[in-house]
Structures are given as structure tokens and as C-alpha cells.
Amino acid sequence: MIIDKVCPVVLRKQNQELLLFKHPLAGIQLVKGTIETFDESYITAAKRELAEESGITHVISARYLCSWDSGFQNQVWHFVLCECADLADSWTFHTQDDGGHDFAFFWHDIGSDISSQAHTVFQNALEKVRKLIDQGAV
């Protein structure tokens, strides 16, 4: 069975930096989550996940980018570009996911490697975002 996930993509500095976070138990990640109802759109789900995991509640605009077969646990990720203004350089957000964790958010240079700090699926997702930027889809 295919499991649909949404991944809000938040960029800044002419698409040179991507919003990532450090999970206290699982390393560096992109915001990602499950579509909760059969009629929830990818854009609505991406905005909800962004708010739940990062505290970002004001999205200026959101645009669907593409789907991607992650090769991990039958997950198909749906990337949604979310434009947000005036975000800090870093912050910590306490989420209720998995019993409550503090997620440390930061901006990552899109060309830099995260392989030593992230699960393979997040490394591959970062590569997919790089390709979308290189192709001009963002």
C-alpha cells in the first residue's frame, strides 16, 4: 500500500538555503508528514505539517512541485514549495509528535552534504530538492 507524505519546501536567499531541523533522536530532517484525510489536499497538508512541526503558521503562498517515490516504506512524497517571510536564522519548536520533542530549525546551504547526520531517505530528499532547483521548477 502506498503511503502519501507531504514535504513543505521552504527556501531563502535565492534558493540557496533550505529549512531543515535536527530531531533530538533521529538526526537532520526535512519537515514531512502524512496526509490525514482522504480529501486533504497536498497544499493544505503541507501547511498543516509545517505549522505542527515548526510553528510556522503564516505561509504567503504554496505551490505543488512534484511527487517522488522515496524508496522507503512505500512512501510517496509530495513536495510543496511554501513561501514564508521573515523567518529567524534558527529556532527551537516543541512539537507534540512522538510524545513531544524540541526540533532545532536552521537554514542549510543547499549544496552542502548532510550524509553523516541524516537518514538516507532525507539525504535523497535533499538531492531531489536540489534537482528541482537546478531544473528551474522552484
Side-chain angles (χ1 to χ4, degrees), residues 6-10 42-43 46 62-66 78-82:
V6 291
C7 181
V9 174
V10 182
Y42 299 131
I43 289 176
R63 178 172 55 92
Y64 184 82
L65 294 173
C66 70
H78 300 274
F79 291 96
V80 176
L81 180 64
C82 293

Side-chain angles (χ1 to χ4, degrees), residues 9 14-15 20 29 38-39 42 61 66 74 84-85 94 104-105 121-122 124 133 138:
V9 174
Q14 291 79 43
N15 301 336
L20 298 178
Q29 301 184 7
F38 75 92
D39 61 345
Y42 299 131
S61 66
C66 70
N74 296 320
C84 305
H94 184 77
F105 283 84
V121 72
F122 291 105
N124 294 340
I133 291 169
V138 175

